[in-house]
Amino acid sequence: MKFLSLWRPWTWAIFDPIAHKGIENRSWAPPIEMIGERFAIQAAKGWDDAAVSMFIRLGITHFPARHDQYPSGVIVGVATLDRVITNDRTLS
């Protein structure tokens, strides 16, 4: 199974029912044949303090606020690639 590694706490936001981060932006497009395929989401060792600030501004306060409150290097869930949107077009 393929996986996508995300800095914490973004991995939490993908699977949280309130934060529900349903879109991931990347500078590269995945292979088109991945559309409809399941892949694992891994919590990377990196931590994004800007994400914490954004969650607070959005009124989301029930998240792991410190890097030591959230595991790294683990698979936290599985997702399905629904579509790919590029600057030029939507592929699905």
Side-chain angles (χ1 to χ4, degrees):
M1 176 178 275
K2 294 184 188 297
F3 73 94
L4 181 64
S5 186
L6 298 169
W7 280 18
R8 302 166 300 142
W10 292 113
T11 45
W12 163 85
I14 287 175
F15 296 103
D16 181 77
I18 295 173
H20 189 64
K21 178 185 187 310
I23 296 172
E24 174 59 19
N25 297 304
R26 295 285 163 149
S27 61
W28 49 270
I32 298 305
E33 50 278 356
M34 282 291 300
I35 295 173
E37 295 295 318
R38 293 168 51 95
F39 61 97
I41 304 288
Q42 179 202 27
K45 291 185 179 182
W47 180 264
D48 187 357
D49 284 323
V52 174
S53 297
M54 182 189 312
F55 296 151
I56 291 169
R57 282 192 314 272
L58 293 172
I60 301 169
T61 58
H62 66 283
F63 59 90
R66 295 190 340 251
H67 65 85
D68 61 348
Q69 295 176 311
Y70 197 76
S72 67
V74 298
I75 300 298
V76 295
V78 176
T80 302
L81 181 62
D82 180 53
R83 72 191 80 156
V84 176
I85 300 173
T86 67
N87 289 339
D88 301 325
R89 58 193 169 135
T90 299
L91 309 172
S92 56

